[in-house]
Amino acid sequence: MSHSLAALPPAIEQISQPLEPIPKDLEAAAPVTTRAAEAPYTVFTLSHKRAICAAATCAALFSPLATNIYFPSITIIASDLGTTVEMVNITVTTYMILQGIAPTIWGSFADVLGRRPVYLMTVAVFVLANLGLALQHSYVGLLVLRMCQSAGSSATVAIGAGTIADVAAQEERGSYIGLYSSGIMVAPAIAPVLGGVLSDTSYGWRASFWFLFAAGAALLLILFVWMPETGRNIVGNGSIPARGINMSLLEMLSRRRNHEEDPASTATKKQHKSANPLHLLTIIAQKDVAIVLLANGLIYTGFYCVTVGFSSQMATIYNLTTLKIGLCFLPYGAGCSIGSIVTGRLLDYEFRKFARKLGYGDGRAVRQTPDFPIERARMYLVWYLVAVTAADTLVFGWTFRANISIAVPLVLLFINGFSITGFFTFQQVLLVDLYPQESASVTAANNLVRCLLGAAGSAVVDNVISAIGMGWTYTIVTGMILLSIPLLITELRCGQKWRRARLDKLRSRSMEATAQAKLDDGKNDDSGEAELDSGGIETGIELDDKNVEDKEE
């Protein structure tokens, strides 16, 4: 496969060229050997990193699992609670709204307090909500507790992506996020089948919530006993001992057994900022991030339009039962899982190849070089993924109109799952690369944008199909997917310039804050004045601002 990707098609090769060539000082940059460069990105062993990734994946898959396990029982729930199917469907809408909003709050706390305490809080909320759902007997209880269930489970998606970024360096991040995404994306495929099977038991529709309660409680126990803190603002690369709630039970017992005192955490002492969910709006407003979020939102909306339309039309055209429709999603789940893993590995392969081409060896030196053109290194495969997704979506719509063999839409669903999840893996890796210092928050921003757009798409797609048919509906969806291409071209051409400007501004603010702190503390007044007189700090800020203006021009 790597040989087949060795060269881009001529048209895409032209697109892939930057607006301006990379400066010679960037191309010829030789990695500088420093203490920071010599320090490992993380002290966790390979097996430990894999275990952390597995735990993060298990926590994150509860959100899509709880969403889709619910669908087969909607009619039964409406009858049992004495309400209508339309009213029960409102609980699906409110679930999706919280699915977009909740991570914006929890993600900010995870970037400040650390991953571990937020994991414990969110999974505990999820467990208690499922217990309440299994025991309640009213529609109001169902509505409120489903919102609580979403608030707890959906946050783990953002926290999990942040956890992966904590332990996986840039040159291997694609593979880890690919594995992480594969677990999340396979859940929507198996959840309807699982929900249908559980609803046929003696517990009825409550069996799904009892199952989620038991599984969530088991995960909470594992997190409490074993899960280490990975937040880099708390434990650095893992070499700084955690304290308090950031310690696992095993760490606490080990230190007591060895009679160790609670160590002072340098990272904790340096931390002055507090969690601010509204900071998410600042991240979304960054031009390089906003373009990736919008492109992903368009394709995510297409993803929801395909899954919702598939469910409704399989019942209408092929007269399948709920359980059989759930089984038809298995090829989709397989395509999603394989696409995530394959794309993640290819992203790492292309990243290392690009780094070697620019003289960065195996890619490790990139960590010390903020000017590395990460956009070009990551976006090699995206054109193929978008093209396959668009073509598959178009054919998917018209095959239903032709009413041909059921095998055709199932094969197309597998291909769609492969390509569209490959795109999600790409954009998740790129977003973390753009905002590594706040990986949970940028993932929450991604979740907010795509969930709101996806909810809008899923709300109208059935009405559009009824009005103009499957073929023309998915022709429109295909056009929407293709709108992501000019956005991605803009990111490729301008993203590096915008990212440099953003980093320059952050560097200037940091210098200014450091200078102000010295003046406020009354330390080194004479040396501070000398620095200011000689233009050491103020001139640096002016030069940085001037560089930003020049780059923007």
Side-chain angles (χ1 to χ4, degrees):
M1 181 174 290
S2 61
H3 292 292
S4 65
L5 298 176
L8 284 167
I12 297 178
E13 183 66 38
Q14 292 176 2
I15 291 174
S16 300
Q17 297 302 320
L19 187 63
E20 298 177 357
I22 298 177
K24 292 183 178 180
D25 61 335
L26 208 88
E27 292 186 348
V32 180
T33 304
T34 63
R35 290 186 179 180
E38 292 172 356
Y41 184 82
T42 181
V43 298
F44 292 112
T45 63
L46 179 61
S47 59
H48 208 169
K49 287 196 295 184
R50 287 175 176 172
I52 291 171
C53 178
T57 303
C58 289
L61 65 81
F62 276 114
S63 179
L65 187 66
T67 304
N68 295 273
I69 202 173
Y70 185 68
F71 292 152
S73 305
I74 286 179
T75 304
I76 304 173
I77 293 172
S79 175
D80 192 31
L81 297 182
T83 186
T84 63
V85 171
E86 288 74 19
M87 292 298 291
V88 176
N89 279 333
I90 292 177
T91 67
V92 177
T93 303
T94 54
Y95 186 98
M96 292 185 65
I97 292 173
L98 266 293
Q99 199 174 37
I101 296 175
T104 65
I105 300 172
W106 291 115
S108 177
F109 280 101
D111 281 332
V112 173
L113 303 178
R115 315 301 186 198
R116 178 179 164 77
V118 181
Y119 264 131
L120 295 177
M121 287 187 285
T122 54
V123 176
V125 170
F126 176 74
V127 170
L128 294 174
N130 281 296
L131 178 61
L133 284 164
L135 297 175
Q136 60 80 34
H137 294 277
S138 70
Y139 172 76
V140 175
L142 178 72
L143 179 66
V144 173
L145 289 170
R146 276 284 287 176
M147 294 172 68
C148 294
Q149 184 191 45
S150 178
S153 63
S154 59
T156 57
V157 176
I159 305 169
T163 302
I164 301 298
D166 292 337
V167 300
Q170 277 183 312
E171 65 272 11
E172 61 180 359
R173 193 169 290 157
S175 297
Y176 279 93
I177 288 185
L179 290 169
Y180 174 72
S181 299
S182 69
I184 297 174
M185 295 307 297
V186 78
I190 64 173
V193 181
L194 184 60
V197 171
L198 289 172
S199 64
D200 287 336
T201 64
S202 59
Y203 289 94
W205 59 269
R206 300 178 190 275
S208 295
F209 296 123
W210 281 118
F211 169 79
L212 293 173
F213 166 74
L219 176 65
L220 183 61
L221 180 63
I222 293 172
L223 294 175
F224 177 74
V225 173
W226 169 80
M227 185 69 171
E229 177 59 64
T230 62
R232 298 183 73 84
N233 64 318
I234 303 295
V235 297
N237 65 352
S239 59
I240 301 174
R243 302 177 64 194
I245 190 62
N246 296 104
M247 282 195 298
S248 68
L249 180 61
L250 291 178
E251 287 178 302
M252 293 180 186
L253 296 176
S254 175
R255 289 179 188 174
R256 289 183 181 179
R257 185 168 56 249
N258 297 327
H259 304 288
E260 296 179 9
E261 294 184 1
D262 205 14
S265 175
T266 306
T268 303
K269 287 184 177 181
K270 290 193 297 184
Q271 179 180 290
H272 296 294
K273 68 175 185 177
S274 57
N276 180 16
L278 294 180
H279 175 63
L280 198 79
L281 300 178
T282 304
I283 296 177
I284 295 176
Q286 303 302 317
K287 288 181 283 189
D288 56 332
V289 175
I291 282 183
V292 178
L293 293 179
L294 182 56
N296 181 63
L298 292 173
I299 293 184
Y300 192 80
T301 304
F303 158 75
Y304 256 100
C305 288
V306 168
T307 54
V308 171
F310 179 80
S311 299
S312 61
Q313 295 304 307
M314 289 300 280
T316 302
I317 296 177
Y318 295 100
N319 297 317
L320 298 183
T321 64
T322 302
L323 181 58
K324 288 182 179 179
I325 293 174
L327 291 172
C328 287
F329 273 98
L330 292 180
Y332 196 57
C336 290
S337 182
I338 296 172
S340 295
I341 295 172
V342 171
T343 302
R345 291 185 178 276
L346 286 175
L347 284 171
D348 284 347
Y349 170 78
E350 292 299 331
F351 179 88
R352 289 191 290 265
K353 186 172 74 172
F354 192 83
R356 285 194 299 269
K357 183 179 178 181
L358 293 187
Y360 288 91
D362 61 358
R364 296 179 187 178
V366 172
R367 305 172 200 164
Q368 308 301 322
T369 311
D371 284 334
F372 181 79
I374 190 67
E375 294 81 5
R376 288 180 60 194
R378 292 299 190 196
M379 297 182 71
Y380 185 89
L381 299 173
V382 68
W383 318 108
Y384 299 101
L385 297 170
V386 175
V388 172
T389 300
D392 183 88
T393 302
L394 182 64
V395 176
F396 174 82
W398 288 101
T399 53
F400 269 98
R401 186 174 185 270
N403 195 18
I404 60 178
S405 170
I406 193 174
V408 175
L410 292 182
V411 171
L412 291 172
L413 204 63
F414 173 86
I415 297 172
N416 189 275
F418 182 98
S419 60
I420 208 165
T421 311
F423 179 87
F424 295 155
T425 301
F426 143 78
Q427 63 84 30
Q428 181 64 72
V429 173
L430 179 59
L431 285 174
V432 171
D433 286 340
L434 295 179
Y435 251 92
Q437 73 277 15
E438 295 179 90
S439 49
S441 292
V442 75
T443 304
N446 178 41
N447 201 62
L448 175 64
V449 173
R450 72 179 189 175
C451 282
L452 293 180
L453 291 176
S458 61
V460 302
V461 65
D462 276 333
N463 293 330
V464 178
I465 291 173
S466 299
I468 62 176
M470 284 283 289
W472 288 112
T473 297
Y474 286 97
T475 300
I476 295 173
V477 173
T478 300
M480 180 183 63
I481 291 173
L482 291 175
L483 286 176
S484 66
I485 291 181
L487 293 171
L488 294 169
I489 293 174
T490 304
E491 176 69 17
L492 184 66
R493 288 176 172 268
C494 304
Q496 184 180 354
K497 177 180 69 176
W498 291 335
R499 178 167 51 86
R500 281 175 171 173
R502 173 159 50 85
L503 292 175
D504 285 344
K505 288 180 180 178
L506 289 174
R507 194 177 297 116
S508 298
R509 290 171 184 169
S510 178
M511 292 170 60
E512 189 175 23
T514 301
Q516 186 62 45
K518 287 183 179 180
L519 293 175
D520 291 342
D521 292 340
K523 295 179 180 179
N524 301 323
D525 288 339
D526 294 337
S527 61
E529 291 175 4
E531 283 183 331
L532 292 172
D533 291 339
S534 63
I537 294 177
E538 289 185 349
T539 304
I541 295 171
E542 291 171 2
L543 288 174
D544 281 340
D545 290 338
K546 187 176 184 303
N547 288 338
V548 172
E549 294 173 359
D550 293 340
K551 289 172 185 174
E552 290 177 346
E553 291 174 358

